[in-house]
Amino acid sequence: MANNNESIHGAWRNRWTFILAATGSAVGLGNIWKFPYITGEYGGGAFVLVYLMCIALVGIPVMMAEVAMGRRGRQSPINSMKALVSEAKAGPGWKLIGWMGALAGFLILSFYSVVAGWSLSYVLKLATGTFSEVDQALAGAEFEGLLGDPGTLMIWHTLFMILTVGVVIRGVNKGIESTISVLMPLLFVLLVVLIGYGASKGDIMSAVHFMFDADFSKLTKEAVLVALGHSFFTLSLGMGAIMAYGSYMPRNASISSTVFTVAGLDTLVALLAGLAIFPIVFANGLEPSAGPGLMFVTLPFTFGQMPGGQFFGALFFILVAFAAWSSAISLIEPATAWVVERFKISRAKACSIIGVIIWMLGIGSVLSFNDWSEFHLLPGKTIFDSFDFITANIMLPLGGLLIALFVGFGMKYHHAYNEMNMKNAGLFNLWYVVLRFLTPIAIAIVFINGLLPECSFDSELLNAETGECGNSTFLMPRFIGGVVLAIAYIAIIAMSLKKTSRGLSS
Ligand code: TRP
């Protein structure tokens, strides 16, 4: 198999460049824009706690598996999966991991680029003093105005896609590595500055209480699903981005310690972003549950009130754009690498073609906020919301589940053991057991429970006035979910075991 020492696309100079690139991928809009607003929507502390548990029990084990798969395959995720499947003589169904991942990458980047475009446009707005001395209503109107204007949204979306493609066409070393080494240090400096700003000007104690006092009565099933989905999204897991980056990783680097570093930094940035944003929200008597507009209304308004806000505000959005940029690179890299391998064309051509396809998909998201706002792909969800929901809450957890099962059951034990190359066999076995049993069961339970609306089982729970489902402890769906899950789980294991033993006897 293609288990040689280097990928045709290049290799990271050392372990630290992998850490930097993977952190660049992980730290993005998910941390600075999405995490604060979903924490606000799902009630704060309890949500944060569940999210942290998801990172520890699901995110980190899956990330280790994904890096290991990439490094062993040494190709684009689609072809790495092919190679790994044939090495393990496992069933062909596992190749779904590569294909579904590429599709998820297209969908995610298409809406991600639109939001990144908002932050680009906000750099300009803040720098030119658009928010100086405006009141809150005007700040809100400014954001609404941007969303209502498809032409402007298109310009920024296009610009962001050009920036992303511009890096990736220059290759793993000259493009990705050199860009990341500049962006990442800048990012951390700015976050620290902004926390200082939040702490001195804002109400930091309310923010701390909001983020860390756990009130479990506020925790709904959907909140748990969103926390799980977000742990995949924020660590860039489940679609092959980390697998692609793993394929450029040096043989001798330790996967476990690098993954802990990346996951730790990502979590730190998310919490710090919360601590930078919520104090300002509370100090202005605003609601933390402001949704996607949280960062684009509350913050600019506040910056507009502060001395030096014009400068710091512009700087803040530059940094958001940088964070988004280093993530977008990792969303387009897996498909680019595959097209280069499959069609033997230049990276520049491959990446441009993919960029154009994603750019076109993004038009749907642009129009979700204006001309097509009435068009629903999923019930009650615009194209933008649907892409976000389908990828973060379905495709990524499913991808993660399959990755855990593949390394746990599809791959040979000694291959996984060699690839992880952990000094401590006990630690390896701990990870292996978590990955085989705890992680898949946790994902599947959350998944099935979160997706089945309780009201489809018991219409009495439906609140006729609001159309919402009562947050009850109704157990039937959970029970049915559990049974479906158990059957699916046993079937997958049986399938992979059968393939393995057949492979061995032949
Ligand atoms: N992790 C990034 C963020 O938090 C987004 C991202 C980059 C991503 N690459 C990914 C999400 C791959 C899922 C899969 O903003």
Side-chain angles (χ1 to χ4, degrees):
M1 72 166 288
N3 196 9
N4 39 21
N5 278 326
E6 218 173 90
S7 158
I8 60 161
H9 307 287
W12 306 122
R13 214 171 318 130
N14 54 44
R15 158 171 187 261
W16 278 101
T17 19
F18 171 80
I19 292 182
L20 226 52
T23 307
S25 166
V27 173
L29 294 173
N31 305 60
I32 309 176
W33 163 69
K34 207 172 174 192
F35 175 72
Y37 93 74
I38 55 179
T39 301
E41 278 182 352
Y42 293 102
F47 177 83
V48 174
L49 197 70
V50 174
Y51 159 77
L52 291 175
M53 275 166 53
C54 289
I55 295 281
L57 292 181
V58 179
I60 291 176
V62 170
M63 197 178 204
M64 286 164 68
E66 207 179 314
V67 175
M69 284 161 73
R71 189 166 72 176
R72 196 162 184 84
R74 280 287 189 237
Q75 299 165 68
S76 66
I78 291 175
N79 283 332
S80 286
M81 278 317 301
K82 252 194 212 158
L84 292 171
V85 161
S86 81
E87 180 191 56
K89 300 192 173 62
W94 295 111
K95 289 183 208 157
L96 184 71
I97 296 174
W99 290 105
M100 191 177 65
L103 179 64
F106 276 69
L107 297 179
I108 295 173
L109 187 50
S110 76
F111 72 82
Y112 201 84
S113 165
V114 174
V115 179
W118 301 348
S119 50
L120 288 177
S121 98
Y122 268 63
V123 173
L124 201 69
K125 280 186 198 294
L126 276 130
T128 54
T130 307
F131 290 97
S132 302
E133 312 290 319
V134 300
D135 63 17
Q136 219 171 289
L138 269 175
E142 186 68 34
F143 185 55
E144 296 287 310
L146 173 68
L147 294 188
D149 178 0
T152 309
L153 292 178
M154 277 307 295
I155 292 174
W156 294 111
H157 162 54
T158 308
L159 182 65
F160 185 78
M161 283 306 299
I162 292 173
L163 285 172
T164 305
V165 170
V167 171
V168 176
I169 56 177
R170 300 177 58 220
V172 173
N173 298 98
K174 285 209 195 94
I176 303 179
E177 194 171 88
S178 50
T179 309
I180 296 286
S181 341
V182 179
L183 291 188
M184 296 315 289
L186 274 174
L187 194 86
F188 282 100
V189 172
L190 198 94
L191 250 182
V192 172
V193 171
L194 279 157
I195 300 199
Y197 192 70
S200 64
K201 311 279 182 194
D203 183 355
I204 196 147
M205 279 331 285
S206 300
V208 170
H209 282 300
F210 178 70
M211 284 176 64
F212 299 108
D213 293 351
D215 174 2
F216 283 95
S217 67
K218 285 194 191 144
L219 200 68
T220 60
K221 281 187 336 186
E222 189 183 316
V224 180
L225 177 68
V226 171
L228 177 78
H230 188 65
S231 69
F232 280 101
F233 188 87
T234 191
L235 293 178
S236 304
L237 297 177
M239 58 79 46
I242 290 298
M243 206 188 295
Y245 279 12
S247 75
Y248 312 138
M249 187 179 184
R251 262 265 104 76
N252 55 3
S254 150
I255 292 179
S256 53
S257 68
T258 43
V259 163
F260 271 94
T261 312
V262 173
L265 287 172
D266 182 76
T267 307
L268 187 70
V269 173
L271 296 177
L272 290 182
L275 288 177
I277 291 176
F278 287 122
I280 296 178
V281 175
F282 288 117
N284 289 295
L286 302 176
E287 280 297 314
S289 56
L294 184 64
M295 190 177 86
F296 293 98
V297 177
T298 316
L299 277 182
F301 158 70
T302 313
F303 281 124
Q305 309 293 306
M306 307 286 201
Q310 198 166 329
F311 175 75
F312 281 103
L315 218 54
F316 175 81
F317 283 99
I318 289 178
L319 266 290
V320 174
F322 281 0
W325 194 11
S326 62
S327 299
I329 291 169
S330 75
L331 281 161
I332 205 172
E333 173 62 20
T336 302
W338 178 73
V339 172
V340 170
E341 289 165 5
R342 171 69 180 73
F343 299 102
K344 312 261 184 304
I345 57 176
S346 70
R347 178 172 267 271
K349 250 193 218 144
C351 187
S352 310
I353 295 168
I354 292 165
V356 168
I357 298 173
I358 295 175
W359 174 80
M360 289 197 296
L361 276 175
I363 299 175
S365 284
V366 163
L367 296 176
S368 293
F369 297 99
N370 34 70
D371 297 356
W372 292 0
S373 60
E374 298 302 314
F375 174 73
H376 293 163
L377 211 56
L378 293 176
K381 287 186 162 54
T382 61
I383 297 184
F384 176 89
D385 293 336
S386 303
F387 280 13
D388 179 18
F389 185 85
I390 296 171
T391 51
N393 298 339
I394 299 177
M395 295 175 91
L396 300 181
L398 195 61
L401 175 67
L402 292 175
I403 286 169
L405 292 175
F406 180 73
V407 173
F409 296 97
M411 226 164 137
K412 303 266 189 300
Y413 175 85
H414 67 276
H415 288 157
Y417 185 84
N418 290 344
E419 201 56 52
M420 292 311 292
N421 194 14
M422 278 155 91
K423 289 189 196 78
N424 186 327
L427 275 184
F428 172 83
N429 284 323
L430 177 66
W431 167 75
Y432 200 63
V433 168
V434 169
L435 194 72
R436 291 181 105 184
F437 302 106
L438 203 66
T439 306
I441 291 175
I443 298 176
I445 289 177
V446 174
F447 207 34
I448 290 172
N449 273 311
L451 286 180
L452 293 179
E454 270 157 341
C455 295
S456 58
F457 294 93
D458 184 351
S459 55
E460 281 177 18
L461 291 170
L462 195 67
N463 181 330
E465 273 168 37
T466 63
E468 278 171 1
C469 230
N471 183 23
S472 75
T473 51
F474 186 53
L475 286 174
M476 197 58 186
R478 250 156 259 202
F479 176 72
I480 295 175
V483 173
V484 173
L485 156 77
I487 294 172
Y489 188 54
I490 292 167
I492 291 175
I493 294 173
M495 209 174 71
S496 66
L497 290 182
K498 207 167 134 219
K499 276 284 172 194
T500 315
S501 53
R502 210 190 284 150
L504 282 177
S505 60
S506 66

